[in-house]
Amino acid sequence: MEQGLLAPETLLWTSLMSALLGYGLYQALTSQTKSCSENRTHLADSQSAALFLSFTFGFSPVLKTLTESVSTDTVYAMSALMLLAHLVSFPYAHPSPPGSLSLNAALFASVCLASRLPGTLHTFAMLTCALLVFALWPCLLQRLRENAPGQFTGVCAGVCVGGVGGLGSQSLGGAVLLSLALVSVTLICPLLLVRLQRHKDNIHGPWDEAEIQEDLSRFLH
Amino acid sequence: MDFMRKAHILVSVLVDVALGVLLMWWLYRDDHIAMLANTLVPAADRVARQLEELLQWLMGAPAGLKMNRALDQVLGRFFLYHIHLWISYIHLMSPFIQGILWYGGLSACLGLTFALSLLSDMVALFTFHIYCFYVYGARLYCLKIYGLSSLWRLFRGKKWNVLRQRVDSCSYDLDQLFIGMLLFTILLFLLPTTALYYLVFTLLRLVVVLFQGVLHLSLDFINSFPLFAMALRICRPYRLAEGVKFRVLCEEPGTALHLLMEINPLKCSTLVQTYRTPTNSCYPRDSWAALVKKLFVGELIYPWRHKSTKTD
């Protein structure tokens, strides 16, 4: 959007469409387990969505001029730091309600970056997109993992490829690094873990807890 | 001791009135009142114009600091309008100032201390707009700091537990997190601007408070200095005794020992300490550490605590 390649309206409509799609998928996956109290949650969900959209739209002019006086390098450094914090503090075990610190850090980084864009509608579109990616996508992924584990692997791989491809369109070196990192984290580290198991060595010594090895049945006579 | 106190009060009041009458005589001779009145309104004008220049300087990137332009303009315009109101008020009052000063000068016959306290009150009245600005800036800053600290706790996922008076972890809803995050970012980036305005107006207010403090201290000194005792010490030192001195007159083995007793007069420092009358003066309310902490957080500072209201 900064280079004028993508119009903000397109991004906006795309994100809204994908949000609706994701919501439909989410409901489809949940309805297999429990079917009551759905009407209430629909209303609450639409209320939350209306709240998000109105607040973001209302604050977009303010957010746009927020980092005007801060230099670009500082903004990039801050966003990088915050996204790193998001990665580090993400609750990988149960990502369904996303953790506070990780979500906050990600949103802070996206606000920093969004305030650098050239228009208010750009800011609004980027914030909606960021909200989708950071807040709602993990919930959908978690639901997918629970109910349809086969498709889960396919979706994950698709997301990885999409990320590498997107980065590759901007800078090739970054795409290479990202693919290397993904491959090493997903494939090589668990492989190492499994292969090095046989080299594991347990040393026994006087520091162990005492274990009774005698046959105590002679005391029962 | 009673006699000393009564004598001291009498002498104090007499000296005070004498000094006051002197001041009055100096004021009314050569039409000094009119001169004072004529210089007062232009002085107030000049102060207001300097404040305007200060605000213009603040509105445009002072000292290379980076401020948020929109908020800067809003605050600067608000304060400029306030100054404009103040100038109109001063111009409205200018015909009456001479009369007020004339009658105020008359009251100096009640004593120099009276005139000094009147001066202190007038200074407070004429710098009222600085006090107003300080209160606005402090309230804004205090609100911002409070909001920031609360939202910082939200950032980390914690909440202030009012029941237990400590910080606990809390699982927030998604929309609470989102809105809190937006507000936190906004408040954080607007902090330098508000902090600068607060700093400037606090410094101005502290200058005024300092000046008033000097006036009060001198008032206190005039009131409590033991003039009568000092005069007694100088003229008739044998009336105030600290102890006795013995001097041997003749020391012969056959006759009795003759000693001369002399009264040892009080030293001046002990005299001042003993006979100093406790006055209804004002003491600074907080120690330096508490003052600095209050300044940092943005609480309003009420610098003087009256001795009579110690029970609060």
Side-chain angles (χ1 to χ4, degrees), chain A residues 48 51-52 55-56 59 62-63 65-69 78 82 98 100-101 103-105 107-108 111 131 136, chain B residues 66-70 154-157 170 172 174-175 177-179 181-186 188-190:
Chain A
S48 308
L51 199 68
F52 289 158
F55 253 90
T56 322
F59 276 134
V62 179
L63 289 174
T65 60
L66 218 48
T67 56
E68 248 181 341
S69 51
M78 260 196 317
M82 285 294 156
S100 301
L101 185 59
L103 185 63
N104 284 332
L107 283 177
F108 188 81
V111 165
L131 185 65
L136 301 179
Chain B
K66 302 180 180 160
M67 320 240 285
N68 194 16
R69 207 169 19 106
L154 181 129
F155 191 96
R156 283 169 20 219
C170 167
Y172 288 102
L174 201 58
D175 38 357
L177 277 179
F178 185 63
I179 295 177
M181 204 53 236
L182 276 184
L183 288 175
F184 178 74
T185 325
I186 292 176
L188 187 68
F189 281 110
L190 292 180

Side-chain angles (χ1 to χ4, degrees), chain B:
Chain B
M1 204 52 184
D2 242 0
F3 164 70
M4 291 295 291
R5 208 154 36 100
K6 286 188 195 138
H8 166 260
I9 289 178
L10 196 65
V11 167
S12 250
V13 167
L14 279 176
V15 166
D16 213 6
V17 170
L19 281 175
V21 167
L22 204 69
L23 181 70
M24 244 176 66
W25 174 71
W26 176 81
L27 267 182
Y28 286 102
R29 167 183 84 117
D30 292 343
D31 214 10
H32 273 154
I33 294 268
M35 216 166 62
L36 264 179
N38 284 338
T39 51
L40 210 59
V41 172
D45 259 342
R46 207 176 50 224
V47 163
R49 211 168 310 126
Q50 276 180 343
L51 265 181
E52 267 181 24
E53 275 174 22
L54 181 72
L55 279 174
Q56 293 288 356
W57 179 70
L58 274 181
M59 266 162 67
L65 286 174
K66 302 180 180 160
M67 320 240 285
N68 194 16
R69 207 169 19 106
L71 186 65
D72 220 352
Q73 299 280 333
V74 163
L75 284 178
R77 292 230 182 102
F78 174 65
F79 286 126
L80 274 176
Y81 181 63
H82 211 82
I83 292 184
H84 174 75
L85 277 179
W86 176 255
I87 293 282
S88 341
Y89 168 68
I90 293 270
H91 282 281
L92 200 70
M93 288 263 298
S94 60
F96 304 108
I97 286 191
Q98 181 157 5
I100 292 177
L101 275 182
W102 203 86
Y103 285 113
L106 267 186
S107 68
C109 73
L110 288 171
L112 183 66
T113 44
F114 205 89
L116 275 182
S117 13
L118 205 66
L119 180 68
S120 164
D121 283 339
M122 277 192 6
V123 160
L125 269 182
F126 275 116
T127 56
F128 186 62
H129 50 325
I130 294 183
Y131 183 57
C132 269
F133 287 175
Y134 165 68
V135 169
Y136 294 152
R139 283 276 182 236
L140 212 61
Y141 182 72
C142 179
L143 207 67
K144 178 162 287 211
I145 291 281
Y146 186 67
L148 260 181
S149 62
S150 172
L151 287 172
W152 171 245
R153 285 195 285 265
L154 181 129
F155 191 96
R156 283 169 20 219
K158 300 196 186 299
K159 197 166 86 158
W160 175 253
N161 191 346
V162 185
L163 201 59
R164 298 275 189 145
Q165 296 290 316
R166 67 174 183 205
V167 177
D168 276 339
S169 61
C170 167
S171 59
Y172 288 102
D173 282 339
L174 201 58
D175 38 357
Q176 284 173 333
L177 277 179
F178 185 63
I179 295 177
M181 204 53 236
L182 276 184
L183 288 175
F184 178 74
T185 325
I186 292 176
L187 282 182
L188 187 68
F189 281 110
L190 292 180
L191 186 68
T193 317
T194 335
L196 194 69
Y197 273 93
Y198 172 65
L199 193 71
V200 164
F201 291 131
T202 311
L203 282 175
L204 281 176
R205 169 87 186 130
L206 283 179
V207 161
V208 170
V209 162
L210 217 67
F211 181 63
Q212 274 188 312
V214 161
L215 278 178
H216 281 206
L217 270 178
S218 54
L219 213 68
D220 201 17
F221 179 69
I222 294 177
N223 267 340
S224 70
F225 190 69
L227 272 174
F228 182 66
M230 200 52 115
L232 213 57
R233 164 79 177 84
I234 294 175
C235 308
R236 293 190 195 181
Y238 55 85
R239 291 289 296 273
L240 302 164
E242 194 179 29
V244 288
K245 257 193 319 209
F246 287 100
R247 206 156 47 118
V248 176
L249 269 183
C250 70
E251 195 180 345
E252 285 154 28
T255 54
L257 187 65
H258 288 133
L259 291 170
L260 178 68
M261 187 174 88
E262 281 176 3
I263 295 186
N264 212 5
L266 266 181
K267 282 203 281 284
C268 287
S269 48
T270 341
L271 182 125
V272 170
Q273 231 172 349
T274 330
Y275 287 108
R276 212 183 135 102
T277 49
T279 52
N280 192 21
S281 63
C282 312
Y283 290 106
R285 180 181 266 209
D286 311 300
S287 61
W288 285 111
L291 187 71
V292 167
K293 181 169 176 294
K294 270 194 186 175
L295 274 179
F296 198 66
V297 170
E299 269 179 49
L300 284 176
I301 300 178
Y302 300 109
W304 306 115
R305 174 184 58 187
H306 288 277
K307 225 171 165 194
S308 51
T309 61
K310 231 179 356 175
T311 61
D312 64 3

Side-chain angles (χ1 to χ4, degrees), chain A residues 22-97:
Chain A
Y23 189 63
L25 200 62
Y26 189 81
Q27 290 300 335
L29 285 172
T30 345
S31 65
Q32 289 163 15
T33 48
K34 53 182 185 326
S35 59
C36 62
S37 76
E38 269 187 21
N39 291 335
R40 240 183 317 141
T41 47
H42 279 314
L43 186 62
D45 287 342
S46 55
Q47 257 180 350
S48 308
L51 199 68
F52 289 158
L53 288 175
S54 55
F55 253 90
T56 322
F57 193 62
F59 276 134
S60 297
V62 179
L63 289 174
K64 187 180 143 0
T65 60
L66 218 48
T67 56
E68 248 181 341
S69 51
V70 187
S71 72
T72 321
D73 290 336
T74 321
V75 168
Y76 285 167
M78 260 196 317
S79 340
L81 199 69
M82 285 294 156
L83 285 173
L84 201 66
H86 163 75
L87 278 181
V88 163
S89 59
F90 192 74
Y92 290 104
H94 13 250
S96 180

Side-chain angles (χ1 to χ4, degrees), chain A residues 3 163-179:
Chain A
Q3 293 161 349
V164 169
L167 195 57
S169 73
Q170 287 291 332
S171 82
L172 210 53
V176 168
L177 275 175
L178 182 64
S179 45

